[in-house]
Amino acid sequence: GTPPTEMLFPESEEYESRCVQRKLLLEALAGELPEETIRFSSKVVHIELSGCYKKFHLSDGTILKTKVLVGCDGVYSVVGKWLGFKNPATTARLAIRGLTHFPEGHGFGKRFFQFYGDGVRSGFIPCDHNTVYWFLTHTSTDIDEETNSEILKEFVLNKIKDLPENIKNVVETTDLDSMVMSQ
């Protein structure tokens, strides 16, 4: 029953927030490397040292010898485990995320918006002049991984119903294809 509260991040010379779309980051990284040096969607099952190189054993039987690996293999990361990262903590929260495109510009500047209250944390950050990334986390048991994007969108809109109209518009104008949920 608590109304949502905006969490303000003061401007600072020490830090800044930036939103980088994954696709653009991958394209930028790939653009700096010779062709045939990147392998996407390859499941690493084992890593071993081999001098100053690492040998990466993939699920399809392939073994790669390399100096560099960008491991984007998720929460139960083989790469993270090899680096000594701790197991993920279970939070019993779900996260719904999306991207919204405003052809005429969004007008939010570069500010990172975040709201919290009544078991919900939501927010958004502009990626560029036209694109906004948004998120919502909640402790709901009403939604599971089989829930379709239309129901997810309605769920999010219901949870942010007390926020200002321009904030709700970010979610309202989101294409269903750009929405993702994880638990």
Side-chain angles (χ1 to χ4, degrees):
T2 308
T5 303
E6 182 174 4
M7 183 184 299
L8 299 174
F9 295 95
E11 296 214 13
S12 171
E13 302 258 337
E14 295 178 37
Y15 62 84
E16 64 182 80
S17 297
R18 296 230 180 172
C19 179
V20 178
Q21 293 180 55
R22 183 184 188 108
K23 179 182 180 223
L24 298 178
L25 176 61
L26 290 173
E27 287 172 357
L29 291 171
E32 295 298 317
L33 296 171
E35 287 187 38
E36 306 299 321
T37 59
I38 297 180
R39 233 180 121 136
F40 294 102
S41 302
S42 299
K43 182 177 168 96
V44 176
V45 294
H46 179 69
I47 303 170
E48 66 180 284
L49 293 174
S50 177
C52 65
Y53 293 90
K54 313 297 180 282
K55 285 186 179 177
F56 297 96
H57 298 255
L58 306 181
S59 61
D60 68 0
T62 303
I63 299 174
L64 302 174
K65 184 176 173 184
T66 183
K67 292 181 182 178
V68 177
L69 168 72
V70 177
C72 303
D73 51 340
V75 174
Y76 298 101
S77 168
V78 171
V79 175
K81 185 175 181 177
W82 185 78
L83 290 169
F85 293 173
K86 294 179 181 176
N87 288 334
T90 304
T91 62
R93 293 185 74 83
L94 64 85
I96 303 169
R97 303 175 298 283
L99 282 172
T100 304
H101 187 74
F102 295 91
E104 305 300 319
H106 51 68
F108 292 116
K110 296 180 180 179
R111 195 162 147 224
F112 176 22
F113 295 79
Q114 195 169 173
F115 305 90
Y116 64 95
D118 202 23
V120 175
R121 183 173 298 262
S122 64
F124 67 89
I125 184 169
C127 298
D128 56 34
H129 179 69
N130 301 96
T131 309
V132 174
Y133 164 82
W134 62 263
F135 67 90
L136 178 129
T137 66
H138 188 265
T139 56
S140 177
T141 56
D142 299 337
I143 293 188
D144 61 33
E145 293 179 18
E146 304 300 316
T147 305
N148 71 43
S149 295
E150 287 181 37
I151 293 171
L152 287 179
K153 189 174 188 177
E154 287 304 314
F155 177 83
V156 172
L157 289 169
N158 182 51
K159 295 298 177 191
I160 64 170
K161 68 182 181 292
D162 296 327
L163 295 180
E165 288 301 317
N166 65 334
I167 305 297
K168 291 189 288 192
N169 186 48
V170 171
V171 175
E172 287 170 346
T173 58
T174 299
D175 288 334
L176 296 177
D177 292 342
S178 80
M179 294 177 51
V180 179
M181 184 190 78
S182 55
Q183 292 182 319

